[in-house]
Amino acid sequence: MTEPPRLDRPPAETFPPTYDQATPADYFRVLGALDYAMPEHVANFVRRNAPAIAAARGVSRLRVLDFGCGYGAIGALIRHDLSMAALSRAFAGHDHRADGGSGPAVLPRRQDAPALHLGGLDVASRAVAFALRNGLIDAGFSDDLTAGAASGALADFLAETDLLIESGALMAPLFVCFERMIEAGRKPWLALAPRPDLHMAPLCAMLRKHGYGLEPLSRGRIFYRRLMISEHEPITARSAALGRDMDDAFDGDRMFVRPCLARPLARQGGLAVGDLVLMDED
């Protein structure tokens, strides 16, 4: 097996080459070494709250779109009885080349997996194809929403989407992407896990323009992942420049986020956030 990448490598030498390959082994070796935890928190939130959100939205089967889905980790964790650490070990240690890019043959299914229709959106088209091929998502899209409006296929999916999720997307113009998804949809709810180095003001202004309010989805901070040595200074510097509480967002090389739920103020379906299982209750 290939040795995990050194944690002091610059991000440019690790994430881009591993993020859009035909198979996810290298990607999960990198993220596994960094104790990447955020997809598990998001997956648990969706799995535990899907029935309540579906009822509030007036649907029998929740339709969810995972923004920045990558290789489908959130879908895998919703549908299979695995932790993020166990999923990383399974995908990092599997010889995907031997079976044409499929995942491990046996992943334990969750008996309590909710009935939902899960789509995945990511500009990494080969990663999306892997997630779709292995049943980790039900529909896959590779639109670049920073460059233009949703394609016809994505717009059709968004027209029936109830919940948009993201687990710490890296894109700076996140508000542009989410505005285009909101405009193509039917006022979906958004479960967000914004990193501390994300400029939130444009996103909050866009949400207010569309009649959305923001509510916390945890009582405290949520562990996101550890930082590579070369990431630490630029990420903390950007976060400090944005006025973040550095003691809240970082503890040594550990980065934390404050997840939130964005909902249209006029379409909350009588469901209070206090009725949901929060992300730090998993």
Side-chain angles (χ1 to χ4, degrees), residues 182-232:
I182 287 171
E183 290 174 342
R186 59 183 195 102
K187 294 286 188 177
W189 294 8
L190 286 69
L192 308 173
R195 288 170 35 145
D197 58 339
L198 175 71
H199 189 19
M200 286 291 291
L203 179 61
C204 291
M206 180 276 292
L207 291 170
R208 286 194 300 270
K209 183 179 78 172
H210 288 278
Y212 279 69
L214 271 177
E215 303 162 277
L217 269 185
S218 65
R219 296 163 301 181
R221 63 184 187 173
I222 299 291
F223 175 59
Y224 176 78
R225 66 167 170 84
R226 292 191 299 116
L227 299 175
M228 290 181 286
I229 291 173
S230 59
E231 288 182 296
H232 195 277

Side-chain angles (χ1 to χ4, degrees), residues 36-61:
Y36 187 34
M38 201 63 228
E40 186 169 352
H41 293 301
V42 176
N44 286 343
F45 172 79
V46 173
R47 182 170 53 83
R48 293 175 175 178
N49 293 296
I53 297 174
R57 295 283 297 180
V59 297
S60 58
R61 187 185 189 202

Side-chain angles (χ1 to χ4, degrees), residues 105-139:
V106 179
L107 291 176
R109 296 287 297 187
R110 283 192 181 274
Q111 298 303 309
D112 60 348
L116 55 82
H117 193 64
L118 179 62
L121 170 62
D122 202 299
V123 293
S125 58
R126 291 193 290 180
V128 173
F130 175 89
L132 192 58
R133 184 167 62 247
N134 287 282
L136 308 180
I137 55 177
D138 302 307

